Amino acid sequence: MLNGVDTDVLLETIGAIKVDPAIAKFEFRATNQWIDGALNRSQIKEFYGAKKVDTSRSTAFVFDNDEPPVLIGENRGANPVEFLLHGLAGCLTTTLVYHAAVRGIKLNSVKSTLEGDIDIHGLLALTDQVRPGYQQIRVSFDIDSPASREQLAELVKFAKDHSPVCDSVSNPVDVVVKLA
Amino acid sequence: MLNGVDTDVLLETIGAIKVDPAIAKFEFRATNQWIDGALNRSQIKEFYGAKKVDTSRSTAFVFDNDEPPVLIGENRGANPVEFLLHGLAGCLTTTLVYHAAVRGIKLNSVKSTLEGDIDIHGLLALTDQVRPGYQQIRVSFDIDSPASREQLAELVKFAKDHSPVCDSVSNPVDVVVKLA
């Protein structure tokens, strides 16, 4: 165990994928139901991965999106673009922690601060000159570790390049949206 | 009020932005702290928008990321790529609900189902031929409304094109990640 990661299990997983690449294919899933105004609720439970539907979760995770009053909501939940920052922070962190463990780099603490710029001209369709999404997201990592600053800087760069959420935000994803 | 949206307030906001475009500039924020293994925790509270730091939230929203056992975690939270689906579902839904309200389209119910494909060869850095992030995300909306199917299909298309999270995932975002 290093950094709370069972490196034997992680290396076994990597070995199994090398033998059977289909183990690496995952399909994550969510359902969402609108409640009122900006309030809507997601349920997350099953996913497909390692060649089967995962049944390790006995109950679903439930999360509410809302907006603050300035965006015509009532703060009954964080808003969707804030949840994106949460996912980005977590994915960069876990990617960093796992790869540090495999490399034998001990981490004492990892903290990150995120800021992202959005101009809601895009959301409100007031102009097509302003994109609806984030114009830039800045992530700053504060890491306490016996590793050198060079090693940590390389680890942060590695996490940026291999984090699934960071890649999904940095590079285009084919998002197919349809009416059932 | 239509669809739980105060359309007067929404139209006043749009009018104010037309007079002073700086009102539309937002900076959303999150902080995250690694706990152990795949477990890390975000806090979300303040943001900048409408020309000031928002103080409408008395306490922070707190969310935990973890991974399921098959991804070397303990299911103490949904995982980061699942939180991305939650944000995407919520953002598409709120964009759809707000614009329906402005157009006078009543919605009785809005449900969505999301699926996203990831091959973890990328995350594990086993090859650079497989991207770490989502290869495709599919979103299916089930909407009950007196509006015509054509109107609803156009509304879904409009939401896809104007949702901040959907744009952030569909198109490249400049994500700057640094070691403090």
Side-chain angles (χ1 to χ4, degrees):
Chain A
M1 295 288 287
L2 184 59
N3 305 328
V5 179
D6 189 328
T7 51
D8 285 348
V9 174
L10 183 51
L11 291 171
E12 277 167 24
T13 302
I14 290 171
I17 289 171
K18 285 180 178 170
V19 173
D20 184 356
I23 293 171
K25 291 187 182 298
F26 281 70
E27 182 192 89
F28 294 100
R29 301 170 184 174
T31 58
N32 183 276
Q33 178 148 11
W34 172 58
I35 298 170
D36 196 38
L39 181 63
N40 60 74
R41 182 167 295 157
S42 296
Q43 299 217 22
I44 292 170
K45 188 180 177 196
E46 290 183 346
F47 60 88
Y48 176 89
K51 305 177 79 169
K52 62 181 181 185
V53 174
D54 183 87
T55 56
S56 66
R57 297 159 170 176
S58 53
T59 56
F61 296 110
V62 179
F63 305 107
D64 285 359
N65 286 293
D66 194 8
E67 295 288 347
V70 71
L71 292 169
I72 336 283
E74 297 176 31
N75 272 332
R76 292 161 292 188
N79 81 3
V81 294
E82 293 174 321
F83 275 107
L84 186 150
L85 295 183
H86 164 62
L88 178 60
C91 198
L92 285 166
T93 298
T94 298
T95 305
L96 191 153
V97 167
Y98 278 22
H99 283 281
V102 168
R103 295 177 191 194
I105 298 175
K106 178 168 167 54
L107 302 168
N108 295 320
S109 80
V110 180
K111 297 177 187 176
S112 57
T113 303
L114 292 87
E115 304 167 344
D117 304 325
I118 290 182
D119 185 321
I120 65 167
H121 276 89
L123 164 66
L124 296 172
L126 296 176
T127 168
D128 55 10
Q129 303 300 305
V130 176
R131 70 176 296 176
Y134 277 114
Q135 296 171 327
Q136 186 182 62
I137 298 174
R138 296 169 292 283
V139 185
S140 178
F141 272 99
D142 185 353
I143 302 175
D144 179 31
S145 164
S148 71
R149 183 166 175 89
E150 288 66 32
Q151 280 180 300
L152 297 178
E154 201 280 322
L155 201 56
V156 167
K157 171 73 164 62
F158 190 92
K160 174 178 173 12
D161 292 341
H162 294 87
S163 152
V165 173
C166 192
D167 175 45
S168 298
V169 175
S170 300
N171 299 301
V173 175
D174 178 27
V175 182
V176 179
V177 185
K178 66 167 193 173
L179 183 62
Chain B
M1 295 288 287
L2 184 59
N3 305 330
V5 179
D6 190 327
T7 51
D8 286 348
V9 173
L10 183 52
L11 292 170
E12 278 166 24
T13 302
I14 290 171
I17 289 171
K18 285 180 179 172
V19 173
D20 184 355
I23 293 171
K25 291 186 182 298
F26 282 69
E27 183 192 90
F28 294 100
R29 301 168 185 174
T31 58
N32 183 276
Q33 178 147 13
W34 172 58
I35 298 170
D36 197 37
L39 180 63
N40 61 74
R41 182 168 294 158
S42 296
Q43 299 218 19
I44 292 169
K45 188 180 178 195
E46 290 184 346
F47 60 89
Y48 176 90
K51 304 178 81 168
K52 62 182 181 185
V53 174
D54 183 86
T55 56
S56 66
R57 295 159 171 176
S58 53
T59 55
F61 296 111
V62 178
F63 305 107
D64 286 358
N65 286 293
D66 195 7
E67 295 288 348
V70 71
L71 293 168
I72 336 284
E74 298 175 30
N75 273 332
R76 292 161 293 188
N79 82 3
V81 295
E82 292 174 320
F83 275 108
L84 186 150
L85 295 184
H86 165 61
L88 177 60
C91 199
L92 284 165
T93 298
T94 298
T95 304
L96 190 154
V97 167
Y98 278 22
H99 283 282
V102 169
R103 295 176 191 194
I105 297 174
K106 178 168 168 51
L107 301 168
N108 296 321
S109 80
V110 179
K111 297 178 188 175
S112 56
T113 304
L114 293 87
E115 304 167 344
D117 303 325
I118 291 182
D119 184 321
I120 66 168
H121 277 88
L123 164 66
L124 297 173
L126 297 176
T127 169
D128 55 9
Q129 303 301 305
V130 175
R131 69 176 298 175
Y134 277 113
Q135 296 171 327
Q136 185 182 63
I137 298 174
R138 295 169 294 282
V139 186
S140 177
F141 273 99
D142 184 353
I143 303 175
D144 178 31
S145 163
S148 70
R149 183 166 174 90
E150 289 65 34
Q151 280 181 300
L152 297 178
E154 201 282 319
L155 201 56
V156 167
K157 173 72 165 62
F158 189 91
K160 174 177 173 14
D161 292 341
H162 294 87
S163 152
V165 172
C166 192
D167 176 43
S168 298
V169 175
S170 301
N171 300 301
V173 174
D174 177 28
V175 181
V176 180
V177 185
K178 65 166 193 175
L179 183 63

